[in-house]
Amino acid sequence: SDLLTIGDITTSCSCTSAKIDDKSIPPGGETTLTVYFDPNFHSEPIDIFRRTVFIPTNDKTTPEAEVVIQVGIKEGK
């Protein structure tokens, strides 16, 4: 019966940003989270690394959801 309200999304590194289509989601509803990664922001480690997106919500059980993305960089490809 209560709307899920999304707060200001943050990320673990400035090379990664994220936006969500809807900040209010009804019960049983869905929305799209889009995550952007800028490989030119700073030199990244070669191979696989992870970045985290932090999503604050008004859900008392999960006041902050986390989405972890895994990035694999192959230099020169």
Side-chain angles (χ1 to χ4, degrees):
S1 62
D2 288 343
L3 283 176
L4 178 67
T5 303
I6 307 297
D8 290 334
I9 295 173
T10 58
T11 60
S12 60
C13 180
S14 297
C15 66
T16 308
S17 60
K19 74 174 186 72
I20 198 160
D21 287 354
D22 302 294
K23 291 253 186 167
S24 294
I25 307 165
E30 59 183 48
T31 189
T32 300
L33 173 71
T34 305
V35 180
Y36 302 93
F37 171 69
D38 180 0
N40 300 316
F41 188 82
H42 55 71
S43 56
E44 302 292 350
I46 302 302
D47 205 18
I48 294 172
F49 59 96
R50 291 175 176 81
R51 294 292 182 255
T52 306
V53 179
F54 303 99
I55 307 169
T57 76
N58 64 339
D59 183 335
K60 291 180 179 22
T61 307
T62 310
E64 184 173 77
E66 293 184 6
V67 175
V68 177
I69 60 164
Q70 185 168 292
V71 179
I73 293 183
K74 294 187 174 157
E75 196 64 37
K77 298 195 177 183

